[in-house]
Amino acid sequence: MSDAAQMIVELAKRDHAYNQNWHIPGAGTISGREIVRIAQQASGRAKPVITLKKLGLSVLGLVVPVMREIIEMLYLTEEPLVLSGEKYKRQIGPVPATTFDIGIALTIQELKKRA
């Protein structure tokens, strides 16, 4: 079960958790380059990765409409968005946090099974 799913199940089991806002944090911050490095290492493949900035995404958006939506989310790549798990820790307990190395490797293994 994923960390987020585990946290949601724990919240769902507690009546006092309803009608509140809860953050489901990740295991910290990570760069796109680091995700690529981990994925390449876990998959055993070093496929080339092309970074697209706003202009490239805009041009691609002429043919692939969903890319226009991604442009609106670019601000998330400029500064990390970190969700606090302090409320969860105080009221529920430790926040499960699978490392990026393990999480990405497990995801790639699962994708390989389904291919």
Side-chain angles (χ1 to χ4, degrees), residues 42-43 102-115:
S43 68
I102 292 171
I104 292 169
L106 289 172
T107 300
I108 288 172
Q109 288 172 13
E110 192 60 35
L111 290 170
K112 283 181 176 181
K113 285 184 204 174
R114 297 174 188 204

Side-chain angles (χ1 to χ4, degrees), residues 41-112:
Q41 183 179 8
S43 68
R45 295 181 172 174
K47 300 263 183 175
V49 175
I50 299 168
T51 303
L52 292 177
K53 302 216 185 264
K54 189 173 184 177
L55 178 62
L57 291 170
S58 297
V59 171
L60 195 54
L62 297 172
V63 204
V64 184
V66 72
M67 290 300 158
R68 290 189 293 256
E69 304 300 323
I70 290 174
I71 294 167
E72 293 181 29
M73 304 297 288
L74 280 179
Y75 71 94
L76 293 171
T77 67
E78 294 166 1
E79 195 170 312
L81 173 66
V82 180
L83 299 176
S84 171
E86 289 304 313
K87 179 179 175 181
Y88 187 93
K89 281 186 211 175
R90 280 193 318 273
Q91 294 191 30
I92 309 298
V95 173
T98 302
T99 65
F100 292 111
D101 289 328
I102 292 171
I104 292 169
L106 289 172
T107 300
I108 288 172
Q109 288 172 13
E110 192 60 35
L111 290 170
K112 283 181 176 181

